[in-house]
Amino acid sequence: MTPSWVKEAIFYQIFPDRFHRGTGPLPNPVPASQGFEAWEALPTLRGFKGGNLWGVIEKLEYIQEMGFNTLYFCPVFASTANHRYHTSDYYQVDPILGGNEALKKLLEAAHARGMRVILDGVFNHCGRAHFAFQHLVENGAASPYRDWFYVYGFPLNAYSGKANFAAWWNNPELPKFNTNTPECREYLLGVAEYWLRQGIDGWRLDVPNEIDDDRFWQEFRSRVKAINPEAYIVGEIWDDASRWLQGDQFDAVMNYPLGRAILGFVGGDTLDKDLAAKSGLGRLETLGAMGCSHRLENLFSRYSWEIVTAQMNILTSHDTPRLVNLLRGDLERTRLALQMLYTLPGAPTVYYGDEIGLEGGHDPDNRRAMPWEKEHWKLPLQDAVRHMARLRAEHPLLHSGKYQRIYAQDGHLAFARVHGEAALLVTVNASPQPWKLRFPIHGLWSRGEHALDLL
Amino acid sequence: MTPSWVKEAIFYQIFPDRFHRGTGPLPNPVPASQGFEAWEALPTLRGFKGGNLWGVIEKLEYIQEMGFNTLYFCPVFASTANHRYHTSDYYQVDPILGGNEALKKLLEAAHARGMRVILDGVFNHCGRAHFAFQHLVENGAASPYRDWFYVYGFPLNAYSGKANFAAWWNNPELPKFNTNTPECREYLLGVAEYWLRQGIDGWRLDVPNEIDDDRFWQEFRSRVKAINPEAYIVGEIWDDASRWLQGDQFDAVMNYPLGRAILGFVGGDTLDKDLAAKSGLGRLETLGAMGCSHRLENLFSRYSWEIVTAQMNILTSHDTPRLVNLLRGDLERTRLALQMLYTLPGAPTVYYGDEIGLEGGHDPDNRRAMPWEKEHWKLPLQDAVRHMARLRAEHPLLHSGKYQRIYAQDGHLAFARVHGEAALLVTVNASPQPWKLRFPIHGLWSRGEHALDLL
């Protein structure tokens, strides 16, 4: 079983350093307040803008008004990196983000609004600043943490030379945990439990395929669900995820294949494939309506319907170029891609800023600071996103209804979301010209009923 | 004013990794239990024996029975080093020691026995694994912590090449804090306050002269005393400490000069000067009784009497060879040195194990694991230490009485501790032969009274 609430979730992905710099106490060590980059300046690889969780609390009203009801945070634990994928301490929220106190307050504030919060869990590796790894750096084989990592020789080449220990993509900044060492395994599972007990609503799992051990994730699931049976476990798997979606590991995965299908269809000739190809999206294929629908149908039949409706459907993230850049600035197509995302089975996920047309190419440019002055916002796009959220809230068929292809040819796709007698028709015109065509609706509705234009 | 309790304190210095491995939960990250060196094996520079604060709790009965009423701990905060002078996190007790929970329990247990606890505060520098420094290692000038240290160039040569940042003794493992940066200064003062609020009874300050800023230590004192006016502040100053003992900075210092005087006199020709010279003790001078007394008199007149009686009098520590080694295994002289320590003005301090004749040369050999089997104990020495503690408890003159030289020649010293009408005579025979001599006692006692042999 997947959590029931996820079927109604609309995720908003937040990159904490770049969302909003709020006012609240920072715990120790406190950075120098003048040490941050200008909010408006383009991001750099190593610079910090000082966004924090207090800032998210201040903007919950905005987020909720936009229809997002679940926050998905890029990592928040203490880290030396602005993206915080290099974890230093899994038990401390980064002091620059406001520390544990800020997360506690954020969880309270979000829950008070009926919103949920999931965190990004990086369990495969840590940052080289992590206590256990630093212990190895300094003490070599004499460290009682020596079996926490895969070490091929001492002293460790952690800061120069070729990494002589297992590391993610052989990047010495990211030593891989040895999850076969009982204490290390228990540590990671304990972290998962700890934050659930603090009130988070689930984990997004970073590169979980790198922990090539089904029993690890099975135990992860059972311990997480023991604390909160409605906790959501979603893996970062970019392609086929059957291995992890048998019901005993994850509830869902980040549904990039669905995003690719939307982009390939909606993007048409506009799509910047070279830009996409430099990210995990890979080389996107231009798709006609039929090609797109076939891919979607394949995705929807690959996993149980329970899982399909709990998938984290996603177009873009901190790991891809910005949506508006992939579509070469075409705001109409940007809107259409988001509208498809909101009408397909699974939980729509919007990367902060995409709803206002925030631009950005490759990392780190795709992590620009959120502008809070309305003159920087693409208001029609934002209105459409807000409207789609309302549609989903008002029409449960958009959560549960099966996908049924009605018409698919060239740039024209019509599909229905069907449940029992009820059905909802969605038409998508991905071509540059207006589209007018009569097509049979296969008894979707009883004779005499009418389709309504909801968009 | 110095804390009143210190006048009655007998300090027991504990090197936490080497005292006792107790049974209690270890927080995360938990080291591999098989990762420790054998308890009985000679110490290595980098190895861990796994002593912890749970172990100290288990041995409080022993400590108290020996007459020690105040624990002085070498650093306990999270660190990559077995001596823990390389601090990684000032807000976390090292997980190998049992974490914050173990310290909390230790403070409760010690206080319940009427014992006190002071911690070693290393505020001049941190370990290079410290979060703020790692932030600089990874982000260079882009880090908002860049002003926390004295950096002469980026990238930092923290792990190879010549340190291009200020570091203690130019050791890149120990970056020096820039206490002129307000956030950094506040951080360190906040640490001092935090642990006082947790219930510690004072701070022993590591290399405080390196923070060459009287206002820092003045503020340190006023903030510490605001939380606990009876908190003890004792600086690691090896020589003249007048600068810090004006009443506005420290209560006392580690009185190594007093230890040197005792060793120079009691040690006589037996003293291993070459061994001593390799430590902070420096080249010790052989002293006759008069030379010794002159040094003591100078020490006692240099600072206010209030301070003299609050001094941390010390023969040996984790920074010197073991007492029994300095005296080339002569247990009689070892006993005599400790007896002098206990009868002079100021608080006697015993480095764990010295009371049982634990041997050890240079670091790390002076940090051997405490043996808990009685066959390894020099029982007569231990009895003498226990007895001296009882004497101090029974004779307040040993806390407060002024030092008055009565007789001093060659290997023979007699001094009195005098307060008003009361006096206590102490005679020390540092020569190899028995000593019998009549000497005038200058009206110390009223006619007809007798001196008692207390030893």
XYZ file of all heavy atoms in Angstrom, chain A residues 39-68:
246
model
N 21.419 38.112 -3.520
C 20.280 37.243 -3.839
C 20.020 37.205 -5.345
O 19.746 36.158 -5.927
C 19.035 37.742 -3.096
C 17.894 36.779 -3.114
C 16.752 36.889 -3.866
C 17.779 35.554 -2.375
N 15.933 35.810 -3.624
C 16.545 34.975 -2.713
C 18.613 34.908 -1.462
C 16.099 33.768 -2.165
C 18.183 33.697 -0.915
C 16.940 33.144 -1.273
N 20.151 38.362 -5.984
C 19.793 38.472 -7.399
C 20.895 37.973 -8.321
O 20.646 37.718 -9.498
C 19.500 39.938 -7.754
C 18.414 40.592 -6.910
C 18.870 40.922 -5.487
O 20.102 40.960 -5.250
O 17.998 41.098 -4.610
N 22.108 37.852 -7.794
C 23.225 37.470 -8.656
C 23.061 36.030 -9.139
O 22.436 35.205 -8.473
C 24.539 37.617 -7.891
N 23.613 35.744 -10.314
C 23.551 34.373 -10.807
C 24.297 33.459 -9.841
O 25.293 33.860 -9.240
C 24.170 34.289 -12.205
C 23.330 34.960 -13.302
C 24.016 34.801 -14.663
C 21.914 34.366 -13.360
N 23.812 32.239 -9.684
C 24.456 31.320 -8.729
C 25.857 30.938 -9.183
O 26.153 30.918 -10.385
C 23.557 30.084 -8.751
C 22.290 30.488 -9.425
C 22.649 31.616 -10.345
N 26.683 30.627 -8.209
C 28.001 30.078 -8.495
C 28.039 28.658 -7.940
O 27.173 28.257 -7.175
C 29.096 30.915 -7.811
O 28.882 30.895 -6.392
C 29.061 32.361 -8.295
N 29.056 27.920 -8.312
C 29.142 26.530 -7.863
C 29.252 26.428 -6.352
O 28.715 25.521 -5.745
C 30.370 25.858 -8.492
C 30.126 25.009 -9.728
C 31.441 24.432 -10.231
C 29.127 23.881 -9.451
N 29.972 27.346 -5.741
C 30.304 27.205 -4.326
C 29.670 28.240 -3.417
O 29.793 28.156 -2.200
C 31.833 27.253 -4.165
C 32.548 26.008 -4.675
C 32.109 24.792 -3.880
N 32.841 23.575 -4.235
C 32.619 22.400 -3.645
N 31.697 22.289 -2.696
N 33.291 21.332 -4.005
N 29.049 29.239 -4.005
C 28.545 30.328 -3.180
C 27.222 30.015 -2.487
O 26.471 29.134 -2.910
N 26.964 30.755 -1.449
C 25.740 30.591 -0.661
C 24.925 31.872 -0.733
O 25.476 32.970 -0.690
C 26.084 30.288 0.799
C 26.611 28.895 1.010
C 27.893 28.544 0.602
C 25.811 27.927 1.586
C 28.374 27.251 0.774
C 26.282 26.630 1.763
C 27.565 26.296 1.354
N 23.617 31.697 -0.830
C 22.748 32.882 -0.839
C 22.030 33.063 0.490
O 21.407 34.078 0.728
C 21.748 32.802 -1.989
C 22.443 32.833 -3.346
C 21.524 33.286 -4.440
C 22.263 33.320 -5.762
N 23.269 34.404 -5.827
N 22.117 32.056 1.319
C 21.589 32.234 2.667
C 20.091 32.029 2.805
O 19.502 32.418 3.813
N 19.457 31.438 1.801
C 18.071 31.027 2.004
C 18.011 30.081 3.193
O 18.989 29.391 3.482
N 16.878 30.070 3.884
C 16.802 29.209 5.063
C 15.366 28.741 5.305
O 14.436 29.129 4.581
C 17.395 29.921 6.280
C 16.706 31.255 6.566
O 15.497 31.387 6.386
N 17.479 32.235 6.993
N 15.223 27.892 6.285
C 13.899 27.322 6.539
C 12.955 28.340 7.167
O 11.735 28.236 7.014
C 14.019 26.073 7.426
C 14.850 24.925 6.822
C 14.783 23.703 7.725
C 14.371 24.571 5.413
N 13.536 29.341 7.829
C 12.671 30.420 8.326
C 11.993 31.100 7.138
O 10.826 31.492 7.211
C 13.483 31.446 9.122
C 14.183 30.884 10.327
C 15.542 30.817 10.522
C 13.588 30.294 11.498
N 15.818 30.226 11.743
C 14.638 29.902 12.364
C 12.272 30.069 11.894
C 14.422 29.295 13.602
C 12.042 29.456 13.132
C 13.107 29.074 13.968
N 12.751 31.228 6.075
C 12.206 31.857 4.865
C 11.076 31.036 4.270
O 10.108 31.593 3.733
N 11.200 29.717 4.335
C 10.127 28.866 3.810
C 8.860 29.057 4.653
O 7.753 29.167 4.122
C 10.561 27.388 3.786
C 9.413 26.508 3.293
C 11.794 27.217 2.904
N 9.058 29.116 5.968
C 7.895 29.340 6.844
C 7.193 30.634 6.440
O 5.967 30.695 6.332
C 8.331 29.391 8.325
C 8.866 28.021 8.760
C 7.170 29.841 9.215
C 9.461 27.991 10.171
N 7.993 31.665 6.172
C 7.390 32.958 5.804
C 6.628 32.887 4.490
O 5.739 33.701 4.245
C 8.489 34.037 5.720
C 9.090 34.374 7.075
C 10.274 35.353 6.963
O 10.379 36.063 5.936
O 11.094 35.391 7.906
N 6.998 31.935 3.647
C 6.370 31.841 2.326
C 5.369 30.700 2.222
O 4.917 30.369 1.119
C 7.457 31.684 1.252
C 8.370 32.900 1.110
C 7.597 34.150 0.693
C 8.543 35.350 0.517
N 7.796 36.597 0.246
N 5.015 30.092 3.327
C 4.044 28.988 3.263
C 2.714 29.468 2.706
O 2.027 28.736 1.990
C 3.833 28.375 4.657
C 4.879 27.369 5.140
C 4.507 26.855 6.526
C 5.022 26.207 4.162
N 2.362 30.696 3.030
C 1.100 31.241 2.527
C 1.120 31.260 0.992
O 0.162 30.833 0.351
C 0.911 32.656 3.088
C -0.348 33.363 2.633
C -1.602 32.684 3.156
O -1.547 32.108 4.258
O -2.638 32.728 2.454
N 2.205 31.746 0.435
C 2.348 31.753 -1.017
C 2.245 30.345 -1.586
O 1.524 30.089 -2.564
C 3.690 32.383 -1.418
C 4.060 32.118 -2.865
C 3.531 32.897 -3.892
C 4.925 31.069 -3.215
C 3.847 32.643 -5.224
C 5.246 30.811 -4.542
C 4.707 31.598 -5.548
O 5.012 31.339 -6.863
N 2.980 29.435 -0.982
C 3.038 28.063 -1.497
C 1.648 27.431 -1.483
O 1.209 26.816 -2.460
C 4.040 27.236 -0.654
C 5.461 27.804 -0.817
C 3.993 25.762 -1.041
C 6.466 27.266 0.199
N 0.974 27.622 -0.377
C -0.346 27.015 -0.267
C -1.350 27.672 -1.219
O -2.158 26.975 -1.839
C -0.844 27.128 1.182
C -2.086 26.278 1.435
C -2.355 26.096 2.919
O -2.129 26.994 3.723
N -2.845 24.920 3.284
N -1.226 28.962 -1.355
C -2.146 29.668 -2.251
C -1.937 29.203 -3.702
O -2.867 29.191 -4.505
C -1.894 31.179 -2.111
C -3.007 32.064 -2.649
C -2.762 32.464 -4.102
O -1.583 32.542 -4.518
O -3.749 32.686 -4.824
N -0.736 28.777 -4.004
C -0.438 28.253 -5.347
C -0.950 26.823 -5.517
O -0.844 26.251 -6.598
C 1.071 28.281 -5.600
C 1.628 29.659 -5.910
S 0.876 30.400 -7.387
C 1.316 29.179 -8.638
N -1.453 26.244 -4.461
C -2.032 24.909 -4.572
C -1.086 23.777 -4.214
O -1.477 22.600 -4.260
N 0.153 24.098 -3.881
C 1.086 23.047 -3.465
C 0.760 22.643 -2.036
O 0.588 23.494 -1.175
C 2.531 23.528 -3.563
C 2.889 24.060 -4.918
C 3.167 25.403 -5.114
C 2.927 23.213 -6.022
C 3.487 25.902 -6.374
C 3.245 23.705 -7.292
C 3.518 25.044 -7.470
